[in-house]
Every structure is written in structure tokens, then in C-alpha cells.
Amino acid sequence: MQKLITIKRDESILVSSKIESFLKPDYVYLPLLDEKGILVHLKNKVKIGDELEQHSSYLAPVSGVVRGLKKMHSLEHVTYYFEIENDFEERRKEEVGAKRKVSKKEFLMLFPDLAHKKNVVLNAIDDEIYVSTENFYLFLHYEEFLELLDEIYQLFSLETIYVCLRASSSENINQLMSDLGMYPHIELKMVPDTYLLGHSSFLLSYLGLQEEKTEVIRASRFYHAYNLLVRGRTKSDQLLTISGDAVKKSFVVQVKIGSLLKDIVKEFVEIIHDDVLYFANGLMAGKEITLDSFVVTDELDGLLIMKSKEKKKEEKCIRCGLCHDICPVHLQPLLFSNPNYFEQAKKECIKCGLCSYICPVHIQFLLDRKEDNHE
């Protein structure tokens, strides 16, 4: 079994069970991936679900008017974004129909590997200690998830379906236990609060399941699949955890994709410290960012606002070997300075951050975790 690590956490940082909502931004911004594939022009009106360019997974999350292209940034580091001014009319490309049954063919369009699998694992585990986004997708939509999992079980003649969450997720556990009696083939698996169990390969190893026989689906992806397959809704919103030791209250908020992060912070967050740092997607594998012009895209699931502490000075490597011992994929981070080794290691590294976390002389082995310069 792969090594699992317990990360020390500040027990005073607790995420509220109340969900906030930021679904009516004045403007949204969607990344331009290929200027040759642009399908809209200045002052064009768009509906929810409209394509803005060819072959992009980003569809208009609001109805409104295209105001042009603007230089913004996000975790994907795309320089130019479509700016859409919201008209608040919620016009859709296609009318949302009634809840319906889903065919096997439709499932395979989203999950093509299901045709060759015997088990399904719904993964509602957040690896980052102050992020609860995956857990809240399950908390909010567990009834719909169980219904859809039941359909998958019947259509694909599966052996077992597992719903996995942390043992500390007591509210989710209580909800699921009250309903699982109606779904005898769906099994609840509670895992310990250790790092990297949210990663598919580590989770399967812990459960003793074979990767070639098991489809692992994250709760966030399952939410969007449910909306598309059952409700006919394209992806337009997502959940985001905002927490940290520099905020008065940690919480999860439902936001429109393409919203400006600073607008969400301004609307909901009370910062209780003068000097703070912002981290996208957590402290371990996340990235330090600035809020200016930062856009919420579907790769963002958490924002940590932490008190700025004196940065510990990086010292010379003492060859203790701890980074190699802790690496879950058995790399040797102390050799990252060798260009040939580094190029090979980049293909295997899962960017978990454990090597820097364990280093007694504070070496940052990963590439610069601060935002890239987009100028």
C-alpha cells in the first residue's frame, strides 16, 4: 500500500455548513484558447450554453452581451478572456426539460471507460486540509447522486459502487446512512484524514481495488454530469471553498464560472488580519496568487486566505533523504537541480508538495508556486 501522510492542521479553521451564493455577477470572463476558432463578435448577444469558440469546454454561463476581449488570468494562465456583461435574463440555448432517465449511450459519452469497468468509486474526498469542496458537492446533492449511481449500476451490470468520503465528514455520513438502505449495492467507504487519498491511484490502493476494473469519478464531475444528463443543463456554476486563518468565517460558495475572485471576496469575506497571502487550491499543492483580475475557472476549487508569516530562509541541502522517503512516486527531489533528471521527473511528479513540506531546511523543490507573469 502507498504511504499516506497526516498533515498538521489548525483546528480553529472550520468550514460553515451554510452555503453562500454568488450566481449573479455583473460580468463573467471565459478563456480564449484559440483565436482562430472565435464564434462571437463584439456586441453579440449570447445565451447560457452558447459556444464562444470552437472546441472549447467553456460555454457561456450567463446570458448577456459580449463586450470584447480583456487581459485576465486564472490557474490556466490564459492571457485573453471573453468579457460578457450579464443581462440577468437567464436565457438558455436550450430549454431545460423535466428530469429524465439516461441511456447507456449517453453515459458512455461522458464516461467511455465504463464499458470495461466492474466497479465505480464516487470520490468526495478533499486532499487539502482547509478545502471542503468535493465533500459539499456530495452533501448538497447526495439524493440525486444515489439515484444516478443506481442507474449506472443497472445499465452496466456493475459488481459494486463505492461512495468514499473522510471519516470526519459526520454530516455527510449521517445523511447517506439514512438513505443507503434503499441501495444495497452502493457501499459507503469512510477513509482516514490522511493526505493524497483524494488522488485516484492512492484511493484505489487503499480500497484494494484494481485500476483497470474501477472507474473513479470525483463528486464535482458527477454533479456536472448529473446536470447535463438528467436536467439538460450545461456547466455554468461550481462550488468554491474560501477559508484560512485570516478570515472570520470559512465557508463554501456556489459561484458562476467566469466570476472575478475579488468580487466574491468583497461580497462575503471579512479579513481579520492586515497582512495576508492568497493561495489557490490549498497550501500543499496549490499556488500563491493575487486577486487582481483573477477569474474563477473549473480548475479552482478553493481559496485560502492565510496570515502572512515570516518566510523561513531556504538553506543548503543537508542530504537527510526525507524528501525521497516521503515522495509518493519515489522521486529524488534533491536531484531536481540536474536538468536531465528534472525533465524526466516532471513526467512522474504529481505536484503534491510533500517534498517541500517535509524539508527541514525549507527548500522549495517545486517550480515557483507564485503566479506566472502574464505581461
Side-chain angles (χ1 to χ4, degrees), residues 214-281:
T214 310
E215 177 84 355
V216 181
I217 308 173
R218 294 193 69 79
S220 53
R221 186 184 177 201
F222 205 63
Y223 166 74
H224 295 302
Y226 175 86
N227 272 342
L228 182 62
L229 295 173
V230 179
R231 299 290 188 186
R233 288 177 177 262
T234 55
K235 187 191 304 185
S236 65
D237 64 85
Q238 65 191 59
L239 296 182
L240 178 69
T241 302
I242 299 181
S243 65
D245 62 3
V247 300
K248 186 174 182 178
K249 182 183 73 170
S250 296
F251 58 94
V252 172
V253 57
Q254 185 180 16
V255 303
K256 280 288 187 180
I257 293 172
S259 299
L260 286 179
L261 193 54
K262 67 178 181 180
D263 290 345
I264 300 168
V265 171
K266 182 179 178 180
E267 177 77 16
F268 297 106
V269 179
E270 182 179 349
I271 297 177
I272 57 175
H273 198 265
D274 292 334
D275 191 9
V276 302
L277 297 175
Y278 300 94
F279 295 91
N281 288 355

Side-chain angles (χ1 to χ4, degrees), residues 63 86 100 167 206 218 310 329 336 360 374:
S63 61
N86 194 351
R100 62 187 185 86
Y206 178 84
R218 294 193 69 79
E310 184 178 351
V329 291
F336 281 0
H374 304 283

Side-chain angles (χ1 to χ4, degrees), residues 137-155:
Y137 275 111
L138 179 60
F139 178 72
L140 292 174
H141 306 289
Y142 75 99
E143 292 177 319
E144 296 99 317
F145 283 8
L146 292 177
E147 289 178 7
L148 192 57
L149 288 170
D150 185 57
E151 288 191 45
I152 291 174
Y153 177 83
Q154 304 293 340
L155 285 172

Side-chain angles (χ1 to χ4, degrees), residues 126-239:
D126 296 278
D127 263 334
E128 290 285 347
I129 53 177
Y130 304 126
V131 175
S132 299
T133 304
E134 297 295 330
N135 182 62
F136 268 79
Y137 275 111
L138 179 60
F139 178 72
L140 292 174
H141 306 289
Y142 75 99
E143 292 177 319
E144 296 99 317
F145 283 8
L146 292 177
E147 289 178 7
L148 192 57
L149 288 170
D150 185 57
E151 288 191 45
I152 291 174
Y153 177 83
Q154 304 293 340
L155 285 172
F156 292 93
S157 301
L158 298 174
E159 293 179 0
T160 313
I161 294 179
Y162 300 91
V163 175
C164 294
L165 69 166
R166 294 208 179 278
S168 57
S169 305
S170 56
E171 289 182 281
N172 250 341
I173 293 170
N174 291 336
Q175 286 188 149
L176 287 165
M177 292 299 287
S178 66
D179 281 32
L180 278 176
M182 296 184 292
Y183 305 97
H185 45 268
I186 300 179
E187 185 176 340
L188 178 62
K189 290 285 188 179
M190 295 171 281
V191 305
D193 290 326
T194 48
Y195 188 47
L196 286 178
L197 276 179
H199 194 283
S200 294
S201 65
F202 291 83
L203 181 58
L204 290 177
S205 176
Y206 178 84
L207 296 174
L209 296 173
Q210 296 178 324
E211 189 169 349
E212 61 271 17
K213 294 183 179 180
T214 310
E215 177 84 355
V216 181
I217 308 173
R218 294 193 69 79
S220 53
R221 186 184 177 201
F222 205 63
Y223 166 74
H224 295 302
Y226 175 86
N227 272 342
L228 182 62
L229 295 173
V230 179
R231 299 290 188 186
R233 288 177 177 262
T234 55
K235 187 191 304 185
S236 65
D237 64 85
Q238 65 191 59
L239 296 182

